[in-house]
Amino acid sequence: MSAAWPDETVIGAFLDGELSPEERAAVERAIADHAELAQHVARLRADQAALSRSCAGLAPGPIPRRLIEAARHPPVPASARLRRRRLLWAGGGAVAVAAGLGAVLLTPGGTGDPLVRQALAARSTLPGGAHRLEEPSIGAADAALGAHFGRRVRIPDLAPEGYRLAALALWGNGDRRAAQARYEAPDRPPFTIYLASPRGRDAFALEERPSLRICVWENTDLATVMAADLSRAALFRLASLAYVAMTT
Amino acid sequence: VLGSLSRRDRAATRTGQTREAAFGARLVDSLPGLRRYAIALAGEVSLADDLVQSCCERAWERRHALQDPARLGAWLRAILTNLHTDEMRRRKRQPGEPLEEAALDTDPALSRRASAGEALDMQRALRRLSDDHRAVLLLVGVEQLSYAEAADALEVPVGTVMSRLARARAALRLALDGEALPGGAQPAASAS
C-alpha cells in the first residue's frame, strides 16, 4: 500500500525543514511512492531557489547615508523631545478639556468607580483562570491583547522611560474581557495598566489614595486604569505616554 | 558619598554608551539584508529606504524589548513588515491589490536587473501576489525565518503561516506561468 499524498501545508513544512524526523520520513516515503509528488516537490523547490536568487540581487548601489546614520545612532534627541512634548501636550490638552467639562476628579479618597475597584483588585490578586504571560515581548503582548479583545490594542513600550513589560495577564470573555499589563523599573515602583471592555464613554479622572495614584482614561474603544505609587506628575506623564501609544 | 555616586554614574553611563554603540554597529551590519528584504516587499526602492529608516528608528526606541540578540534579524524584519503593513493601510490600498507594474519597470535599480530574465520574471510575479502572500514567502523562503518567527512577525498563529505559505506558493506558480503566456495572463492575487 502506497503512502498517502501529504497536505500542501505539510509539503511546505517539508521544504522549509519544519517537520520532525518521523514526519519527514513519511513525506519521503510518499515522494518515493508518487512520481507526480516528486515532480511537484522539485518544482516548489526550484521556485523557492529562483525566488531567493532573484532577491539576492536586490541591492541597488551603496546604502544611503541617511540609513547608516539611522542605524548607527538613536533617533535625534531633539525630535524625540519634541515628539514627547507633543504627547504630553496631547495629554495635557485632554486634561484641560476634561477639566473644562468638569470631568476631572482629583479625589483624595477615591470615587468608588467599579472600574477602579476591579483594577485595584486585579493589581492585588489576579482573578482565577487568568492567562499570564511573563516577560512577553512587545510584539507578543500586542498579539495576545489583539486576540483577547478582538481588535488591535497596542501595548505601550515604556522602555524609553526605564520601564520594562514584566507581565501581561488576560481574563474574562464576551463583553467582560479584561487585561493587566505590569511594568517594572529597577529604581521605581511598578506601574500597572488595567484594560477593560469599553463603557461607551469618553472620560478622564485622577484619584489619589495613600501610596497610590490612579488615572482612569476611557474612550469608546477601551477603558483603562493606570496606577502606580508615583507622584501625580510622574504618573500623569507615564499615563499620557501609555494612553497615546495604546490609542494611536 | 557624592564622589562615589558620581563615579558609579559615570561608569554606568560608559556602559550604556558601549551597549548603544554595539547595538548601532549590529544595526549597520544588518542594513544590506534588511534593505534587500524591504525592496522585495515594497517593490519600490524609495519606499523601501523609508521603511528601513523607520525600522531603524523604531528598533532604537524598542531596543530594550529585544531579549535575544541572536534574533536581531528576525526582529528587524518583523518591525519592517509591520511598518509596511501600516503604510499600505495608510495608502488605503486594499490587501491583495497588486502594486502597479510600473513600480517595477520604472525603478532604475530594479530595471537594471532586466538582464537577468529569470530574476525579473520572478520579481514581477512576486508583485502580483497579495501583501500577505508576498510577506510570508519572503520571510520564510528568502529570509529563512522559522515558522514561529514568521508567525511572530506577521502576528498570526503558526497554522496560518503554514496555510498562507501553501496558498502563496500556489499563487506564485500561477503568476510565473502567467508570465510565460503570450499576452501575460493575470492570475488573481488571492488574500489569505
Side-chain angles (χ1 to χ4, degrees):
Chain A
M1 185 175 149
S2 63
W5 187 298
D7 182 84
E8 281 300 317
T9 58
V10 176
I11 294 172
F14 173 77
L15 285 171
D16 298 323
E18 292 273 346
L19 295 181
S20 67
E22 296 76 21
E23 291 168 327
R24 186 168 184 82
V27 175
E28 286 169 347
R29 278 197 301 277
I31 290 172
D33 286 349
H34 302 282
E36 302 89 343
L37 176 59
Q39 198 174 1
H40 178 57
V41 170
R43 193 154 74 158
L44 286 174
R45 209 187 288 275
D47 284 350
Q48 184 142 315
L51 176 63
S52 292
R53 279 197 303 274
S54 81
C55 291
L58 291 175
I63 294 172
R65 183 160 190 81
R66 67 178 171 112
L67 300 189
I68 296 174
E69 290 303 312
R72 185 171 288 149
H73 305 292
V76 180
S79 66
R81 273 202 304 272
L82 186 65
R83 190 164 60 242
R84 198 163 293 164
R85 201 173 298 151
R86 270 206 309 269
L87 295 180
L88 289 175
W89 271 110
V95 173
V97 170
L101 295 173
V104 172
L105 304 169
L106 285 169
T107 315
T111 60
D113 185 335
L115 187 70
V116 174
R117 278 206 305 274
Q118 292 157 13
L120 297 189
R123 187 179 157 92
S124 169
T125 309
L126 286 174
H131 175 52
R132 191 175 159 93
L133 301 172
E134 297 291 344
E135 307 275 348
S137 67
I138 295 295
D142 271 344
L145 267 185
H148 186 58
F149 284 104
R151 65 178 176 281
R152 190 174 178 90
V153 180
R154 286 181 185 278
I155 193 82
D157 181 2
L158 298 176
E161 299 302 308
Y163 276 90
R164 68 184 169 79
L165 179 59
L168 177 69
L170 310 157
W171 65 92
N173 50 45
D175 59 355
R176 299 179 67 84
R177 294 174 194 274
Q180 179 181 268
R182 180 182 174 87
Y183 292 83
E184 293 179 359
D187 52 352
R188 278 167 290 168
F191 170 64
T192 55
I193 306 175
Y194 174 81
L195 302 99
S197 301
R199 298 192 289 187
R201 65 181 193 178
D202 289 295
F204 177 86
L206 281 174
E207 287 187 18
E208 294 204 32
R209 299 192 180 195
S211 304
L212 199 62
R213 250 56 63 200
I214 302 163
C215 176
V216 181
W217 214 329
E218 300 180 68
N219 62 28
T220 50
D221 291 322
L222 195 64
T224 66
V225 177
M226 295 173 264
D229 183 9
L230 293 168
S231 70
R232 203 169 64 198
L235 174 71
F236 180 59
R237 174 188 171 77
L238 275 180
S240 298
L241 292 169
Y243 185 78
V244 171
M246 281 187 285
T247 55
T248 53
Chain B
V1 171
L2 286 174
S4 163
L5 282 176
S6 176
R7 275 198 300 278
R8 205 179 305 152
D9 287 348
R10 281 199 297 273
T13 303
R14 273 198 301 277
T15 304
Q17 285 170 345
T18 305
R19 279 193 195 133
E20 291 207 337
F23 183 76
R26 296 191 63 211
L27 272 188
V28 172
D29 289 345
S30 304
L31 281 178
L34 189 63
R35 192 167 181 237
R36 271 198 301 273
Y37 172 64
I39 293 170
L41 186 65
E44 301 170 41
V45 176
S46 57
L47 172 59
D49 284 348
D50 287 347
L51 289 172
V52 171
Q53 183 168 351
S54 298
C55 178
C56 290
E57 289 170 358
R58 189 166 291 185
W60 272 106
E61 288 167 5
R62 297 190 169 192
R63 63 190 180 278
H64 302 293
L66 177 65
Q67 291 171 350
D68 179 4
R71 290 198 60 246
L72 177 66
W75 185 64
L76 290 173
R77 280 153 184 78
I79 293 174
L80 196 137
T81 305
N82 279 323
L83 288 168
H84 178 254
T85 303
D86 291 346
E87 177 61 21
M88 292 300 103
R89 284 198 192 116
R90 196 182 65 77
R91 293 181 177 196
K92 299 192 187 318
R93 196 162 60 77
Q94 294 300 312
E97 180 185 343
L99 286 170
E100 291 177 16
E101 192 76 7
L104 180 66
D105 290 338
T106 59
D107 190 289
L110 293 175
S111 297
R112 277 202 299 275
R113 301 183 43 70
S115 59
E118 179 202 65
L120 190 58
D121 285 348
M122 179 59 80
Q123 289 300 317
R124 282 183 173 144
L126 200 57
R127 297 269 67 76
R128 293 186 172 176
L129 304 187
S130 69
D131 291 337
D132 286 345
H133 286 176
R134 191 162 57 251
V136 77
L137 268 181
L138 291 172
L139 286 174
V140 175
V142 179
E143 302 299 320
Q144 305 287 304
L145 265 63
S146 69
Y147 283 4
E149 288 172 330
D152 198 28
L154 298 170
E155 299 179 348
V156 297
V158 168
T160 302
V161 167
M162 294 176 74
S163 56
R164 199 176 280 182
L165 258 178
R167 285 195 291 272
R169 284 178 166 134
L172 181 67
R173 173 40 48 196
L174 274 177
L176 286 168
D177 288 346
E179 282 290 327
L181 295 173
Q186 299 293 319
S190 57
S192 62

